[in-house]
Amino acid sequence: MRILVAEDERNLNRILTEALTDEGYSVDPCFDGQEAWDALACAEYDVLVLDIMMPRMDGLETCRRLREHDELKDTMIVFLTALG
């Protein structure tokens, strides 16, 4: 299973990436929504872990764009947020 982790807080991104990799998943980290969108154009992912609040393009906009493409609309998404 291939996972894309889009989280702008670098330490949390590293922790998530390492934990998922240790569990046997193939994980690609990125640090903002635009970088996530660019990665989606180059590779297929089974799951996206998206921070809601990221620079350049937030997780919600990334999700909206994803759902507009038939070939990507069924990709599973897990949202992260530090909002209360």
Side-chain angles (χ1 to χ4, degrees), residues 2-22:
R2 191 165 187 183
I3 301 172
L4 178 66
V5 173
E7 165 61 58
D8 63 319
E9 203 282 297
R10 290 188 181 271
N11 192 45
L12 179 55
N13 191 312
R14 181 186 53 77
I15 290 167
L16 289 169
T17 298
E18 287 177 4
L20 291 166
T21 300
D22 288 348

Side-chain angles (χ1 to χ4, degrees), residues 14-63:
R14 181 186 53 77
I15 290 167
L16 289 169
T17 298
E18 287 177 4
L20 291 166
T21 300
D22 288 348
E23 291 297 320
Y25 297 106
S26 175
V27 182
D28 294 328
C30 60
F31 302 97
D32 64 55
Q34 185 61 53
E35 190 177 350
W37 186 248
D38 294 343
L40 287 163
C42 299
E44 290 185 29
Y45 293 94
D46 301 295
V47 177
L48 290 127
V49 178
L50 297 175
D51 184 10
I52 290 178
M53 296 177 56
M54 293 185 287
R56 295 179 59 198
M57 183 188 321
D58 65 28
L60 296 174
E61 179 60 26
T62 304
C63 178

